[in-house]
Amino acid sequence: MIDDLIQDATRRMDKSVESTQVEFNSVRTGRASAALLDRIQVDYYGQATPLKQLATINVPEPRMLTVQPFDPSSLKAIERSIQESELGLTPSNDGKLIRLPIPQLTEERRQELVKIVRQIAEDGKIAVRNARRDDDKHLKDLNTKGQVGEDDERRAEERVQKLTDEHTKKIDDLLTRKEAEITEV
């Protein structure tokens, strides 16, 4: 029973780290990446739809993204969604294709992005700690019901704390890498 709880906590913590990694990929650095547009939702016939379901996203050059919609009538909605996003990109539209030049980052913008990335990392760590808290609560419940002894509970809590520390360190490593990527000129 304890092993099931720990496996569940591990799975939840892994998902938190994975989610943090995905969020980091959508934060702009100096280079063009199709992952930049992953979080963009387009109002397509009254339905919020992910951009990657409506268009092909390509990286023809290091500082350029192109978005080619499957349905040409959605071009304006896609363009509007990109402009309204917090990415700071200005789309240019030729009627069939949207070009997104990736401007060089200013020092001020780099600092803003570092703050955003740190917040994403903190949210990931909070999710990991929430998984630990839930697991500790379940262990205490098992102990009060008499299904687990105090020694087993304490050992399980130590294992869960070790998992928490490992996952928090993974997020810190991801953060360090992302910060270096952002501040690299």
Side-chain angles (χ1 to χ4, degrees):
M1 191 173 296
I2 289 177
D3 288 339
D4 291 342
L5 283 174
I6 291 176
Q7 282 179 343
D8 180 55
T10 304
R11 195 169 36 257
R12 289 178 56 200
M13 289 178 188
D14 286 342
K15 283 183 184 174
S16 298
V17 171
E18 201 174 296
S19 172
T20 302
Q21 173 74 51
V22 168
E23 289 284 318
F24 279 171
N25 287 341
S26 66
V27 173
R28 193 176 120 207
T29 58
R31 295 184 290 279
S33 164
L36 281 176
L37 304 176
D38 280 353
R39 289 191 294 181
I40 293 185
Q41 298 282 320
V42 179
D43 183 24
Y44 186 63
Y45 292 110
Q47 192 76 31
T49 310
L51 175 61
K52 59 186 173 185
Q53 290 181 7
L54 296 174
T56 304
I57 302 168
N58 291 313
V59 186
E61 13 181 306
R63 294 207 170 279
M64 175 76 69
L65 284 172
T66 59
V67 179
Q68 185 165 16
F70 302 129
D71 175 11
S73 68
S74 66
L75 201 65
K76 289 282 183 216
I78 291 173
E79 192 174 16
R80 190 176 324 103
S81 295
I82 292 170
Q83 284 174 334
E84 291 171 356
S85 73
E86 68 215 29
L87 292 174
L89 298 176
T90 309
S92 64
N93 167 358
D94 69 2
K96 293 183 178 141
L97 190 73
I98 296 174
R99 286 185 176 75
L100 295 166
I102 309 292
Q104 192 75 298
L105 293 173
T106 63
E107 189 57 38
E108 187 178 293
R109 182 67 178 147
R110 287 179 200 277
Q111 294 308 318
E112 284 176 33
L113 290 174
V114 166
K115 284 181 187 173
I116 290 169
V117 165
R118 286 183 179 155
Q119 183 58 50
I120 291 170
E122 188 56 38
D123 291 346
K125 289 180 192 178
I126 288 170
V128 167
R129 290 192 295 263
N130 285 343
R132 179 195 61 200
R133 186 198 61 221
D134 292 347
D135 214 49
D136 285 350
K137 184 172 162 269
H138 288 299
L139 286 167
K140 280 187 184 19
D141 289 346
L142 289 176
N143 186 359
T144 55
K145 291 177 185 172
Q147 294 174 323
V148 176
E150 284 186 27
D151 291 344
D152 290 336
E153 178 191 359
R154 199 169 15 269
R155 277 193 292 275
E157 284 176 355
E158 287 171 7
R159 285 172 58 193
V160 171
Q161 183 58 48
K162 208 181 231 179
L163 277 173
T164 304
D165 294 343
E166 289 170 15
H167 286 81
T168 303
K169 184 175 177 354
K170 285 181 189 175
I171 291 175
D172 284 337
D173 293 344
L174 291 172
L175 174 64
T176 304
R177 247 183 285 143
K178 191 63 177 186
E179 281 182 346
E181 198 177 301
I182 290 171
T183 56
E184 170 190 316
V185 178

